[in-house]
C-alpha cells in the first residue's frame, strides 16, 4: 500500500513504498544511461559538443519521442550534418531546432514509404493551388493526392528542348524559385592553396564575377590536352557480367596482396625475408601479413590479428600486440610488415611497424603502350622526354541535383562556370542519377533512369563540349550510387555513344589516367569515410600530425590500393572476380581524387621515410565534396597543375 506521496528522489530508499519516487528515479537513471551512450556514439564518430549536457538532454528527448536508439540518432545527425553547410565537427545547441525538423521529415518519409498512396500536404501544395498560372491544373490536383504528385513530376521531367544559352532545360519554366536558386552566395572560394603565386594573373577578377549580368569578356582560347587511360582496370567493359566471384577468388586476391608486399619489402633491401609469425621464437623476426579483427565490431588493442600468406604460414593468424609502439594507424585489410618476437607462439609482440609499400617498387608497369588506350585522337600525346606541361581542370562529384527536385540546377551552373574558366579537362564524378534521391527511391519519376541520365546529364555535357570546341575534354566516371548503372565495384564505364567519344569519355571506376604527363588516380567509392569508421590509431610522439584526413588519404597511397579495407563496408558490392587488378595503384600518382561525404580538402601529401627529396614522393590529394547538399549547393575544386605536385594553384569553390 502507498502510504504517502513523495517526489523527493534524494529520499528514495527511505520511502520504499512510494511508487511515484520509484518511477521518477528509474526514469532519471534510464535517461542518464541513454545520454551517456549517445555521447559515446557522437564521440566515436568524431563529434564534440559546445554545451554537452543540454544537447544530450535534447537528444534523449528525441530518442524517446521517435523511438530511436543512440546509434540511430547519431546516424541521423551525420546525414543532417553532411547535407548542410556546417563547418567543423562541433555539435552546437543552436543546431538542435534544425535537427529536430530533420528528424520530423525523416519520420514523415518513413510513413509515406510505408503507405505509398498517402500524401502529406504542405505549404507548397497551397502555393500550387493558389497560383494563377496553374488554374487549369487545380481540378486535377484537388481530385487526388496522387494526381497532384504525378502532374508535378510530368512538368519536372518534360525534356522537350528549347535553346537558351545552349543548355537543355525543362520545357516549361516554373514560377516557383527553388531554394538553390534563392541562394545569395555564388562561387565563393572556401579554401585556397597557392604554391605558384607568380602564376596568378587576372583570375582573381574571374572569381569575383558572381553577378550573372557581368560584362562579357573575351574568352581565352582552349588549349587541348593529351589524355590516356592506363590498362590496370581496362578489363572492365560496359555490360560485363558480374556477381560470379567465389570464396576462392577473394582468398587468392587477398593472398596476392600479402605476397606482393612481402616481395617488394624484401627487394628494397631494407628488410629481411618474411617468415612465419605463428612460430614461437625468442629471436627477432620480420613478418608480413594482413590486419584482421578478432570477432565482430571495431578494432581495439585486444582484437588485432595478423594473417600471413599461404607460402609463409599456410594462411594462419596470430594475435598482434602493439603496446610497445608509440605511433601507428591500422585498419582491417591493411597489409603491414612487423618486426618483433613471438615467445609463446600465440602472440607476436611488435617492436617496429611498416605500413608503406616501397616507393621504388611498382605493382604493374604503367607505361607499356599495349596496356593503355588513347582516349584522344585529335591531340597527340606529349613526348615523355619533354618538360611536363601545365594542366588546368575542374573537378566535381555528384549528386548534381538537389534533394527537392530533379532539375539538375547545380550541374547547369557548374557547366556555365566552366565555360567562363575554360579548363583543359572537366572531371565529373558520379553519382549522376543518385539512387539515394527521394524521388528515385520512391519511384515517382515517369522516365527510366537511363533516360534521365541521357537527357538531363549527357545532353547538358554534350552542349558544353560543343560550345567549347573540339579541344574540350570531359570525363564522366560512374559511381555505385548511380541508379542507371551496374551496382558492382570495380565498376565498368558508362556506354558513351560513339559520336561523342572524341570529347566525352568514361573511364572505369576506379582508374588511373594520364593528362599532359600528369598521372591522375580517381575512385568514386567513399573509401575515406569507410576507413574513418574502422581505423585504430595511436600517436604519442611529440610534434606528430593530427591531420586525420591526410592520414586517411595516405593509407590509399601507402597500400597501393584504391580499396584496401577488408571486409568491405556494409553495402559495398566488392567483386574479386571482376578485374581485381583494377583496384591496384601501380605507381604513386601526381593527383589522387577521392570524392567523399567528409569535409572537402586539397592537400599535398608526402610519402617516404627519408628526409631528402630523392627519398620522398608527393601527391596532390583532392576531395571536391558534393556539388549538391540537401536543397542547397555544395563545392567543387578548380586545380591548376604546373608539372609537379608541389607546384599547384587550387581552390575549393562553393557553388
Amino acid at each position: 500500500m502507498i502510504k504517502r506521496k513523495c517526489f523527493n528522489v534524494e529520499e528514495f530508499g527511505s520511502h520504499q513504498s512510494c511508487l511515484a519516487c520509484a518511477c521518477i528515479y528509474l526514469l532519471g537513471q534510464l535517461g542518464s544511461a541513454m545520454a551517456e551512450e549517445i555521447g559515446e556514439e557522437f564521440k566515436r564518430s568524431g563529434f564534440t559538443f559546445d554545451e554537452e549536457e543540454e544537447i544530450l538532454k535534447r537528444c534523449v528527448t528525441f530518442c524517446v519521442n521517435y523511438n530511436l536508439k543512440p546509434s540511430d540518432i547519431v546516424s541521423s545527425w551525420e546525414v543532417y550534418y553532411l547535407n548542410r553547410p556546417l563547418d567543423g565537427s562541433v555539435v552546437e545547441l543552436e543546431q538542435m531546432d534544425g535537427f529536430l525538423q530533420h528528424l520530423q521529415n525523416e519520420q514523415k518519409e518513413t510513413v509515406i514509404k510505408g503507405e505509398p498512396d498517402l500524401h502529406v500536404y504542405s505549404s507548397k501544395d497551397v502555393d500550387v493551388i493558389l497560383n494563377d498560372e496553374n488554374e487549369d491544373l487545380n481540378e486535377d490536383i484537388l481530385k487526388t493526392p496522387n494526381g497532384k504528385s504525378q502532374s508535378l513530376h510530368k512538368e519536372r521531367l518534360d525534356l522537350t528542348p528549347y535553346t537558351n544559352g545552349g543548355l537543355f532545360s525543362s520545357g516549361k519554366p516554373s514560377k516557383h524559385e527553388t531554394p538553390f536558386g534563392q541562394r545569395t552566395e555564388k562561387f565563393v572560394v572556401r579554401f585556397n592553396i597557392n604554391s605558384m603565386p607568380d602564376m596568378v594573373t587576372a583570375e582573381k577578377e574571374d572569381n569575383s564575377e558572381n553577378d550573372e549580368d557581368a560584362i562579357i569578356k573575351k574568352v581565352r582560347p582552349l588549349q587541348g590536352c593529351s589524355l590516356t587511360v592506363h590498362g590496370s582496370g581496362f578489363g572492365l567493359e560496359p555490360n560485363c557480367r558480374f556477381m560470379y566471384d567465389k570464396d576462392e577468388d577473394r582468398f587468392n586476391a587477398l593472398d596476392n596482396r600479402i605476397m606482393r608486399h612481402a616481395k617488394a619489402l624484401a627487394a628494397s633491401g631494407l628488410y629481411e625475408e618474411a617468415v612465419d609469425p605463428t612460430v614461437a621464437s625468442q629471436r627477432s623476426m620480420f613478418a608480413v601479413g594482413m590486419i584482421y579483427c578478432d570477432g565482430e565490431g571495431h578494432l581495439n588493442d585486444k582484437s588485432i590479428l595478423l594473417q600471413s600468406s599461404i607460402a609463409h604460414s599456410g594462411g594462419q593468424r596470430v594475435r598482434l600486440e602493439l603496446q610497445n609502439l608509440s605511433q601507428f594507424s591500422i585498419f582491417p585489410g591493411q597489409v603491414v610488415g612487423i618486426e618483433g618476437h613471438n615467445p609463446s607462439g600465440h602472440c607476436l609482440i611488435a617492436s617496429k611497424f611498416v605500413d608503406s609499400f616501397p616507393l621504388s617498387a611498382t605493382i604493374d608497369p604503367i607505361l607499356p603502350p599495349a596496356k593503355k588506350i588513347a582516349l584522344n585522337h585529335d591531340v597527340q600525346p606529349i613526348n615523355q622526354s619533354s618538360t611536363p606541361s601545365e594542366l588546368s581542370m575542374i573537378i566535381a562529384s555528384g549528386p548534381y541535383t538537389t534533394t527537392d527536385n530533379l532539375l539538375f540546377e547545380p550541374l547547369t551552373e557548374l557547366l556555365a562556370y566552366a565555360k567562363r574558366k575554360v579548363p583543359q579537362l572537366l572531371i565529373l564524378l558520379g553519382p549522376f542519377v543518385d539512387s539515394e534521391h527521394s524521388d528515385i527511391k520512391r519511384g515517382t519519376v515517369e522516365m527510366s533512369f537511363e533516360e534521365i541520365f541521357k537527357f538531363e546529364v549527357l545532353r547538358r555535357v554534350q552542349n558544353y563540349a560543343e560550345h567549347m570546341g573540339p579541344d574540350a575534354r570531359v570525363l564522366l566516371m560512374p559511381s555505385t550510387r548511380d541508379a542507371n548503372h551496374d551496382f558492382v565495384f570495380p565498376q565498368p564505364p558508362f556506354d558513351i555513344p560513339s559520336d561523342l567519344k572524341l570529347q566525352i569519355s568514361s573511364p572505369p571506376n576506379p582508374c588511373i589516367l594520364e593528362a599532359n604527363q600528369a598521372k591522375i588516380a580517381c575512385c568514386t567509392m567513399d573509401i575515406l569515410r569507410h576507413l574513418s569508421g574502422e581505423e585504430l590509431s595511436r600517436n604519442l610522439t611529440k610534434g606528430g600530425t593530427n591531420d586525420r584526413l591526410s592520414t586517411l588519404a595516405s593509407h590509399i597511397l601507402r597500400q597501393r590500393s584504391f580499396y584496401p579495407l577488408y571486409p568491405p563496408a556494409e553495402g559495398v558490392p566488392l567483386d574479386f572476380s571482376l578485374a581485381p587488378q583494377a583496384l591496384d595503384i601501380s605507381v604513386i600518382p601526381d593527383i589522387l581524387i577521392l570524392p567523399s561525404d567528409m569535409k572537402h580538402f586539397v592537400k599535398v601529401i608526402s610519402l617516404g621515410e627519408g628526409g631528402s627529396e630523392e627519398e620522398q614522393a608527393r601527391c596532390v590529394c583532392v576531395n571536391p565534396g558534393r556539388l549538391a547538399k540537401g536543397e542547397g549547393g555544395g563545392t567543387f575544386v578548380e586545380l591548376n597543375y604546373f608539372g609537379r605536385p608541389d607546384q599547384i594553384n587550387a581552390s575549393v569553390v562553393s557553388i
Side-chain angles (χ1 to χ4, degrees):
M1 177 181 293
I2 300 177
K3 297 181 180 179
R4 67 188 181 98
K5 189 176 182 180
C6 176
F7 294 96
N8 188 352
V9 179
E10 294 180 357
E11 296 181 5
F12 179 74
S14 61
H15 303 296
Q16 297 294 334
S17 60
C18 182
L19 181 60
C21 284
C23 291
I24 293 175
Y25 177 78
L26 292 175
L27 287 174
Q29 291 294 101
L30 180 62
S32 299
M34 182 176 288
E36 184 178 349
E37 188 174 353
I38 292 173
E40 291 178 355
E41 288 286 342
F42 270 106
K43 292 173 183 177
R44 187 179 295 115
S45 298
F47 294 103
T48 57
F49 307 94
D50 63 345
E51 298 183 41
E52 183 171 354
E53 184 176 353
E54 291 299 321
I55 291 175
L56 292 181
K57 283 182 179 178
R58 296 285 297 275
C59 289
V60 169
T61 303
F62 298 159
C63 286
V64 173
N65 291 345
Y66 298 111
N67 194 25
L68 298 174
K69 299 177 182 177
S71 58
D72 296 334
I73 201 78
V74 176
S75 297
S76 295
W77 170 259
E78 288 181 337
V79 174
Y80 176 78
Y81 167 80
L82 293 171
N83 284 282
R84 278 154 185 80
L86 303 179
D87 294 327
S89 58
V90 179
V91 183
E92 299 177 359
L93 182 61
E94 62 184 17
Q95 298 167 348
M96 287 296 103
D97 290 336
F99 182 44
L100 173 60
Q101 185 66 38
H102 170 75
L103 290 175
Q104 292 172 345
N105 291 335
E106 280 190 339
Q107 295 297 315
K108 183 174 69 174
E109 288 184 4
T110 302
V111 173
I112 295 175
K113 188 175 181 180
E115 301 182 44
D117 294 331
L118 179 65
H119 176 76
V120 180
Y121 283 96
S122 66
S123 59
K124 294 182 180 180
D125 299 286
V126 178
D127 291 339
V128 172
I129 294 173
L130 296 180
N131 188 350
D132 293 336
E133 292 185 3
N134 293 330
E135 286 182 355
D136 56 327
L137 297 178
N138 285 350
E139 183 178 352
D140 293 335
I141 292 174
L142 294 174
K143 283 182 180 178
T144 171
N146 284 342
K148 174 259 176 188
S149 177
Q150 292 170 3
S151 297
L152 290 182
H153 284 289
K154 285 181 180 178
E155 178 179 340
R156 177 184 303 164
L157 293 175
D158 180 6
L159 297 177
T160 305
Y162 74 95
T163 304
N164 184 7
L167 292 175
F168 266 74
S169 181
S170 298
K172 184 177 179 180
S174 174
K175 182 178 180 180
H176 299 281
E177 192 172 9
T178 62
F180 178 83
Q182 294 174 349
R183 73 197 192 285
T184 56
E185 294 185 344
K186 299 182 180 181
F187 303 110
V188 178
V189 176
R190 299 296 183 187
F191 172 81
N192 179 266
I193 179 172
N194 182 13
S195 58
M196 301 288 289
D198 55 334
M199 301 297 292
V200 179
T201 56
E203 301 229 348
K204 292 183 179 179
E205 299 178 4
D206 296 340
N207 291 334
S208 63
E209 291 185 7
N210 294 333
D211 187 4
E212 295 180 358
D213 297 326
I215 299 175
I216 300 177
K217 65 180 184 299
K218 183 177 179 180
V219 178
R220 62 184 182 275
L222 174 63
Q223 298 179 353
C225 68
S226 63
L227 186 61
T228 56
V229 56
H230 291 288
S232 61
F234 190 66
L236 298 169
E237 298 285 352
N239 303 317
C240 62
R241 299 173 63 190
F242 55 92
M243 293 181 66
Y244 286 89
D245 65 331
K246 305 174 183 177
D247 291 340
E248 182 181 359
D249 297 327
R250 292 173 176 265
F251 189 86
N252 289 337
L254 297 175
D255 191 65
N256 288 338
R257 278 187 61 200
I258 299 173
M259 286 300 300
R260 191 163 53 232
H261 276 67
K263 291 178 180 178
L265 290 171
S268 68
L270 301 175
Y271 308 98
E272 302 174 358
E273 289 284 344
V275 299
D276 184 358
T278 64
V279 176
S281 174
Q282 297 291 339
R283 300 178 59 184
S284 178
M285 67 175 70
F286 182 74
V288 177
M290 182 172 290
I291 298 293
Y292 278 89
C293 181
D294 184 13
E296 300 292 334
H298 301 289
L299 282 174
N300 58 59
D301 291 339
K302 303 300 181 182
S303 66
I304 308 171
L305 298 178
L306 183 74
Q307 175 177 310
S308 189
S309 66
I310 291 292
H312 292 134
S313 69
Q316 295 185 63
R317 299 177 181 178
V318 64
R319 196 168 79 84
L320 181 61
E321 179 63 65
L322 301 178
Q323 290 296 327
N324 295 336
L325 302 180
S326 61
Q327 184 177 8
F328 63 84
S329 177
I330 61 174
F331 56 88
Q334 182 183 25
V335 180
V336 298
I338 299 294
E339 189 174 294
H341 63 285
N342 186 355
S344 65
H346 302 293
C347 180
L348 178 62
I349 303 174
S351 58
K352 187 175 181 180
F353 179 83
V354 182
D355 66 343
S356 182
F357 198 87
L359 295 176
S360 58
T362 58
I363 293 178
D364 183 19
I366 197 171
L367 296 177
K371 285 199 170 185
K372 56 185 178 180
I373 303 298
L375 296 177
N376 183 350
H377 301 287
D378 295 333
V379 181
Q380 295 297 324
I382 298 173
N383 189 343
Q384 297 294 324
S385 62
S386 64
T387 303
S389 59
E390 301 174 5
L391 177 65
S392 62
M393 66 185 84
I394 288 179
I395 307 166
S397 175
Y400 292 91
T401 188
T402 54
T403 56
D404 58 332
N405 61 58
L406 285 171
L407 298 176
F408 288 85
E409 294 171 290
L411 176 61
T412 300
E413 297 220 8
L414 175 70
L415 295 176
Y417 181 87
K419 287 182 180 180
R420 298 196 303 270
K421 291 295 184 174
V422 199
Q424 292 174 289
L425 182 61
L426 176 61
I427 300 179
L428 302 180
L429 309 169
F432 297 94
V433 184
D434 189 7
S435 58
E436 296 183 8
H437 192 283
S438 57
D439 288 348
I440 301 296
K441 278 185 175 181
R442 290 198 298 261
T444 54
V445 294
E446 294 187 351
M447 301 179 65
S448 68
F449 301 145
E450 187 62 39
E451 289 173 331
I452 295 175
F453 175 75
K454 177 180 178 181
F455 292 110
E456 291 285 9
V457 177
L458 196 55
R459 284 196 179 180
R460 281 181 167 90
V461 175
Q462 179 184 359
N463 289 336
Y464 161 81
E466 291 175 352
H467 175 86
M468 300 300 290
D471 288 336
R473 293 294 177 268
V474 184
L475 287 179
L476 304 179
M477 177 176 280
S479 164
T480 55
R481 282 170 53 179
D482 275 305
N484 63 307
H485 201 49
D486 295 333
F487 183 66
V488 64
F489 184 76
Q491 192 174 27
F494 288 124
D495 190 6
I496 303 296
S498 57
D499 59 326
L500 302 180
K501 286 186 176 180
L502 286 179
Q503 291 180 285
I504 304 174
S505 306
S506 179
N509 171 34
C511 189
I512 298 180
L513 310 164
E514 189 169 336
N516 286 4
Q517 294 190 21
K519 297 180 182 67
I520 306 172
C522 304
C523 179
T524 59
M525 183 63 71
D526 196 348
I527 178 60
L528 294 179
R529 188 177 183 186
H530 297 167
L531 283 177
S532 70
E534 299 293 340
E535 181 196 34
L536 174 66
S537 62
R538 178 192 298 159
N539 189 359
L540 303 179
T541 58
K542 292 184 178 180
T545 177
N546 291 321
D547 188 350
R548 190 155 183 256
L549 291 175
S550 294
T551 301
L552 295 176
S554 67
H555 282 316
I556 311 300
L557 299 172
R558 292 177 182 275
Q559 291 291 296
R560 297 290 186 90
S561 173
F562 283 108
Y563 201 88
L565 181 65
Y566 190 85
E570 183 179 359
V572 176
L574 188 60
D575 190 329
F576 282 105
S577 69
L578 192 64
Q581 69 275 13
L583 298 177
D584 296 335
I585 300 178
S586 44
V587 295
I588 300 297
D590 300 305
I591 302 170
L592 176 62
I593 304 175
L594 299 171
S596 172
D597 289 333
M598 301 185 74
K599 187 175 177 61
H600 52 74
F601 65 83
V602 178
K603 298 178 182 292
V604 179
I605 295 179
S606 297
L607 300 174
E609 298 180 358
S612 64
E613 290 191 5
E614 291 78 9
E615 298 173 326
Q616 294 280 338
R618 290 184 174 86
C619 175
V620 183
C621 293
V622 178
N623 171 20
R626 303 297 184 185
L627 191 66
K629 287 187 176 181
E631 296 184 358
T635 57
F636 63 92
V637 166
E638 187 174 0
L639 175 64
N640 294 313
Y641 179 83
F642 299 103
R644 290 172 47 183
D646 56 353
Q647 296 180 352
I648 62 169
N649 290 331
S651 300
V652 177
V653 184
S654 173
I655 195 170

